[in-house]
Amino acid sequence: MNVAEWILVVLLSVTLLIFLVSAIVLIIKLIFLAEEAKKIVQTGQGIAAKADDIIDNVKGMTSVGGIVKTFANRVMENQERRYAEEDAARAAAAEEMAKEAAAAEREARAARAKVADSASAASRASAKVKAAASKVKSAASSAAKAAKK
């Protein structure tokens, strides 16, 4: 090979080396740039989502449908609260009535027991009266027989 060819080969090799090194550096920088762009895009998407939520809230508060929906929700909550209070009052009243019924039943049982005691006492007294009446009859019949003699 001649000297000119060697010079051309060396120049081309150095040029290729410079291009390869610069390409590697450029690729590394592009990768970092892509990661930064990804972070920026994610942040932008979060901001856009928050902006959409804010717009929806403002639209809901200022539009007729949103106002009606808010009003209807409040009315429904108030009705549910009232119904819950009424149910609690009914349950308390039913519980009170059950207690009163149990007390009345206890009183009725006590009255029945007294009546049963009175009835047994009356039947014992009636038996004593019948026994005394039969004794009086037998004494009267004995006296009548004695008077006839």
Side-chain angles (χ1 to χ4, degrees):
M1 274 189 40
N2 125 12
V3 175
E5 290 174 344
W6 277 106
I7 292 174
L8 281 174
V9 168
V10 168
L11 283 175
L12 286 175
S13 297
V14 169
T15 306
L16 181 62
L17 178 67
I18 290 172
F19 279 127
L20 284 174
V21 169
S22 64
I24 290 171
V25 169
L26 182 63
I27 288 173
I28 291 172
K29 293 291 184 182
L30 285 175
I31 289 172
F32 285 128
L33 182 65
E35 289 175 359
E36 290 297 320
K38 185 177 178 181
K39 289 178 185 176
I40 292 171
V41 167
Q42 287 176 348
T43 305
Q45 286 176 345
I47 292 170
K50 288 179 183 177
D52 285 342
D53 290 341
I54 291 170
I55 289 170
D56 288 341
N57 287 340
V58 170
K59 184 194 286 184
M61 291 184 334
T62 58
S63 70
V64 174
I67 293 170
V68 170
K69 183 178 178 183
T70 303
F71 178 74
N73 286 339
R74 287 190 181 159
V75 168
M76 293 296 288
E77 288 172 1
N78 287 340
Q79 284 181 346
E80 288 175 0
R81 190 177 324 115
R82 280 191 212 125
Y83 290 150
E85 290 171 358
E86 289 175 2
D87 288 344
R90 281 190 204 120
E95 200 172 297
E96 185 65 30
M97 291 176 98
K99 287 179 183 178
E100 289 175 3
E105 185 177 337
R106 275 185 257 131
E107 289 176 9
R109 284 184 186 159
R112 274 190 233 127
K114 286 180 182 178
V115 168
D117 289 343
S118 297
S120 64
S123 64
R124 284 191 301 255
S126 172
K128 287 180 181 179
V129 168
K130 284 180 184 176
S134 63
K135 286 181 183 177
V136 169
K137 275 185 184 180
S138 65
S141 67
S142 303
K145 284 183 187 178
K148 283 186 183 181
K149 290 186 178 176

